[in-house]
Amino acid sequence: MADAPSPFAFLDGALDRAEYLRSDAARLAALWPAARVLLLDGEGRALADAEGGPRLDAGADHADARDAAVLLGLDGEQAWFALPLAEAASPDLPRIDLRSAAASWPVREATAFAQARAVLHWRARHRYCGACGGALRFERAGWLGRCDGCGLEHYPRTDPAVIVAVSDGERLLLGRQANWPARRYSTLAGFVEPGETLEQTVAREVFEESAVRVRGCRYLASQPWPFPSSLMLGFYAEAEPDEPRANDEELEDARWFTRDEVGAALRGETRESGLLLSPRLSISRWLVECWYEAGGSAG
């Protein structure tokens, strides 16, 4: 029996990251001509075909670019790489952003796109050593930046963040940012700070953004979120029925929604609920669905 598809994007179809290959220059050179190559521009968009589908070139099409490519992993015996797009050579080629690709591409291509976007974003913004200012030289198939000046090694970073379905037992707490579409609300989220547990982050972020006090929480699931380089750690939290007060620096509004309002929004009945939820590609939407399906309680 086939595994059920994951409830949100960037999980299914992951490549074998083949860490052992990253230092094997001879093997990488042999794999390159037949490899699939995903090209991304400076804004993190991928080259697409005329219908918006995935365009994956062969390594042989970019014979002089192998040293600039990042190994994403293996699909069976075929290697996949990410390559920064030479803008001057291809100004008019069609592009697609990652959110759109997640909704329309096959899962393996969309998940590889997410991986490529995150690591190429790191490389583009970490070209120099933060300790001595020397230029970095990338090794291990693009996954290590080495400073020849001071010897410091630099690795891709991932920023952990919690995202939380907060309930008082009957209602769900959601917030909205000022630049979102009208009536769009989402679960609360925030980055983990140094020296802080995930549970402490949940309580702090919820209180900072809404003035609602968390009594306890539990972990549910995670999602890579390469916008640009986060890992979203999904939680359910039980909270006091405090009156929300949005932090103007974080949110435009925060409020409790009833189970009926959330159910109408999940069914697309936005006129009845006055509420728009995050798209299905996000763990935020899944957390809301879990809360609703559990009867508006423990998720």
Side-chain angles (χ1 to χ4, degrees):
M1 181 175 178
D3 293 336
S6 298
F8 38 84
F10 314 136
L11 303 186
D12 289 332
L15 299 166
D16 172 2
R17 298 203 172 204
E19 191 275 342
Y20 62 91
L21 279 179
R22 295 176 184 171
S23 298
D24 191 339
R27 181 63 177 147
L28 291 173
L31 289 168
W32 177 255
R36 302 190 78 183
V37 180
L38 187 63
L39 291 100
L40 274 66
D41 68 15
E43 297 180 19
R45 300 173 300 174
L47 283 192
D49 61 25
E51 288 73 41
R55 169 180 158 171
L56 289 106
D57 292 1
D61 298 327
H62 303 275
D64 297 329
R66 182 170 59 86
D67 290 343
V70 177
L71 176 67
L72 300 177
L74 293 177
D75 178 10
E77 294 299 317
Q78 185 175 45
W80 286 46
F81 289 83
L83 186 65
L85 181 64
E87 296 291 339
S90 52
D92 301 321
L93 294 177
R95 324 287 172 88
I96 188 170
D97 66 272
L98 180 52
R99 285 182 173 87
S100 299
S104 60
W105 281 16
V107 292
R108 185 178 298 283
E109 283 78 356
T111 297
F113 185 176
Q115 180 188 357
R117 189 183 193 279
V119 70
L120 290 182
H121 179 273
W122 165 73
R123 282 186 41 149
R125 285 155 181 78
H126 293 80
R127 297 165 55 195
Y128 299 95
C129 178
C132 74
L136 297 185
R137 173 171 50 84
F138 290 99
E139 302 176 354
R140 302 195 71 249
W143 289 88
L144 167 65
R146 186 183 302 279
C147 176
D148 289 330
C150 67
L152 193 65
E153 295 181 345
H154 299 257
Y155 293 89
R157 60 176 293 172
T158 296
D159 300 317
V162 299
I163 185 164
V164 194
V166 181
S167 178
D168 66 356
E170 297 181 357
R171 302 172 297 174
L172 184 66
L173 179 67
L174 301 173
R176 64 168 276 108
Q177 296 181 12
N179 61 343
W180 288 356
R183 298 181 292 144
R184 168 68 57 81
Y185 282 76
S186 181
T187 49
L188 304 190
F191 289 104
V192 181
E193 293 188 349
E196 189 174 53
T197 68
L198 299 179
E199 293 81 3
Q200 290 168 341
T201 304
V202 168
R204 175 183 57 77
E205 282 289 346
V206 171
F207 187 78
E208 287 179 357
E209 294 190 357
S210 68
V212 170
R213 295 167 295 165
V214 167
R215 297 197 301 264
C217 65
R218 62 185 178 89
Y219 170 79
L220 296 180
S222 64
Q223 180 187 30
W225 194 247
F227 300 101
S229 55
S230 300
L231 176 65
M232 306 304 295
L233 303 162
F235 280 80
Y236 170 79
E238 298 174 343
E240 302 292 346
D242 299 325
E243 184 65 27
R245 298 192 306 275
N247 180 337
D248 291 341
E249 294 182 359
E250 302 274 352
L251 298 175
E252 179 186 65
D253 187 31
R255 54 167 288 199
W256 294 109
F257 288 87
T258 67
R259 187 168 185 273
D260 286 344
E261 289 174 313
V262 171
L266 288 172
R267 293 188 297 271
E269 301 166 359
T270 56
R271 181 174 299 178
E272 290 78 3
S273 68
L275 170 64
L276 291 174
L277 295 171
S278 300
R280 294 186 181 277
L281 70 91
S282 71
I283 192 174
S284 174
R285 174 66 170 250
W286 178 79
L287 290 170
V288 173
E289 291 173 347
C290 287
W291 176 84
Y292 180 77
E293 290 169 3
S297 57

